[in-house]
């Protein structure tokens, strides 16, 4: 979704960390913006679950380190992110708050024949907001795994979000979010008040 | 050390995450910059170890959540950090690489009567580079704990680095780093080649 935010398409993936405390499994309550947030956005993303850790993983064998997938939302406080970009500081307030990472149930690798050919969509209150096929991803799953592992050892259980398509937009308390990887997994979340 | 890098002193703490894979306990090998790094810096910091988790922790009871301390180095690829600041992207390549967080042995809380009155120093090849008392910290330990927990639930075992004094500077392979909280804990690390 770089184009719609006026960002250049990056030559390399832009990496940031979300803490495990930001996980929100389906059924565990609403997703909520951080204190003071006035512009909470949804970003639907394919999540890749690492089963075999490693450092300097070659692209060629990267898929051997994948145990499966989740459908994930990279919930983002766009107001805090814009402030952070302007100041040149990390995106922590924008990306790392409790409930910032709603996730579906785990999908074992065997259920996905090609992770770069999945139809995904996100609806807000029944209206499609984001719709994509993962063949549109800027960087492939093996590329991202290899890229991260050059700098940071990957461990079993790590979850990598792989970027979002166009259509990111603000949500309000009580909005109903519904997302699906077609034929693979679906999930529903409600938006709550800010933390 | 904001002044020496030409940064304004922040009104609120600037938060970022380091992954647990960046921990480097003393005796477990050299600290190394990320691939391509040409300006690896040391930042000596008091580390606070959380023993009791919580959300929205008031400053008044924040110290009840502290189990102890470590002496820590927030090793920073200053070249990558400068690029990230300029681009407005997160500091991941600058802060999150393997070995980016050398730490001393654990110091139980009982051994530190006042965390805001500790003399700390860092020597490189025997020469003092950073020297401070923790009463110079911009934000106190209770303030930082309370601030983070407004947005992100703290969990037992979390380590919070609290910022570095002036004197940050580059290191080279084979440099010997020696740091101490006077009368409390000391540690030594060697700088290795980049990852
Ligand atoms: Mg995203
Ligand atoms: Mg630091
Ligand atoms: Mg500082």
């Amino acid at each position: 979704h770089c184009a719609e935010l006026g960002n250049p398409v990056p030559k390399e993936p832009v990496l940031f960390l979300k803490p495990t405390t930001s996980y929100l499994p389906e059924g565990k309550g609403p997703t909520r913006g951080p204190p003071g947030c006035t512009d909470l956005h949804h970003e639907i993303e394919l999540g890749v679950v690492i089963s075999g850790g490693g450092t300097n993983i070659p692209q060629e064998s990267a898929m051997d380190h994948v145990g499966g997938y989740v459908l994930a939302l990279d919930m983002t406080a766009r107001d805090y992110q814009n402030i952070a970009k302007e100041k040149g500081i990390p995106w922590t307030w924008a990306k790392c708050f409790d409930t910032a990472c709603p996730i579906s149930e785990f999908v074992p690798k065997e259920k996905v024949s090609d992770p770069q050919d999945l139809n995904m969509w996100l609806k807000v209150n029944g209206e499609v907001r984001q719709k994509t096929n993962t063949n549109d991803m800027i960087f492939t799953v093996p590329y991202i795994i290899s890229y991260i592992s050059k700098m940071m050892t990957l461990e079993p259980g790590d979850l990598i979000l792989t970027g979002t398509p166009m259509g990111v937009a603000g949500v309000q308390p009580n909005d109903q979010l519904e997302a699906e990887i077609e034929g693979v997994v679906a999930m529903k979340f409600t938006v709550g008040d800010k933390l």
Side-chain angles (χ1 to χ4, degrees), chain A:
Chain A
H1 75 126
C2 297
E4 66 183 329
L5 294 186
N7 301 328
V9 173
K11 283 186 200 145
E12 297 289 356
V14 172
L15 299 182
F16 56 87
L17 301 173
K18 286 191 179 238
T20 53
T21 40
S22 70
Y23 281 135
L24 180 67
E26 195 182 9
K28 296 292 182 186
T31 180
R32 305 168 64 186
C37 173
T38 59
D39 196 18
L40 180 64
H41 277 210
H42 53 74
E43 299 190 356
I44 186 175
E45 311 204 5
L46 174 67
V48 177
V49 180
I50 297 297
S51 55
T55 309
N56 286 318
I57 298 170
Q59 280 193 62
E60 294 67 30
S61 55
M63 292 308 294
D64 300 343
H65 296 257
V66 174
Y69 304 91
V70 293
L71 181 53
L73 300 180
D74 172 19
M75 297 303 293
T76 301
R78 196 73 66 201
D79 45 357
Y80 283 115
Q81 189 191 31
N82 288 337
I83 293 168
K85 285 180 175 180
E86 200 174 297
K87 291 189 176 174
I89 64 174
W91 297 352
T92 314
W93 272 81
K95 296 284 196 179
C96 301
F97 50 91
D98 289 357
T99 78
C101 192
I103 46 175
S104 73
E105 62 183 280
F106 176 74
V107 178
K109 184 188 194 172
E110 295 68 37
K111 290 188 69 178
V112 172
S113 57
D114 181 358
Q116 307 303 156
D117 185 19
L118 296 169
N119 289 311
M120 303 197 308
W121 51 257
L122 173 87
K123 292 180 186 174
V124 178
N125 302 328
E127 185 186 317
V128 176
R129 287 266 193 95
Q130 294 188 274
K131 190 171 168 52
T132 193
N133 183 286
T134 54
N135 62 21
D136 259 350
M137 280 168 51
I138 304 175
F139 304 103
T140 64
V141 171
Y143 186 91
I144 294 170
I145 291 171
S146 178
Y147 180 77
I148 296 172
S149 75
K150 287 176 191 173
M151 184 257 289
M152 194 186 304
T153 296
L154 288 171
E155 294 185 321
D158 281 348
L159 172 63
I160 303 171
L161 305 194
T162 57
T164 199
M166 63 182 299
V168 299
V171 292
Q172 301 299 330
N174 301 314
D175 279 353
Q176 304 297 315
L177 310 182
E178 199 184 339
E180 187 170 323
I181 302 176
E182 281 179 12
V184 177
V185 69
M187 65 183 189
K188 287 182 190 178
F189 288 89
T190 300
V191 178
D193 285 326
K194 52 182 180 279
L195 294 168

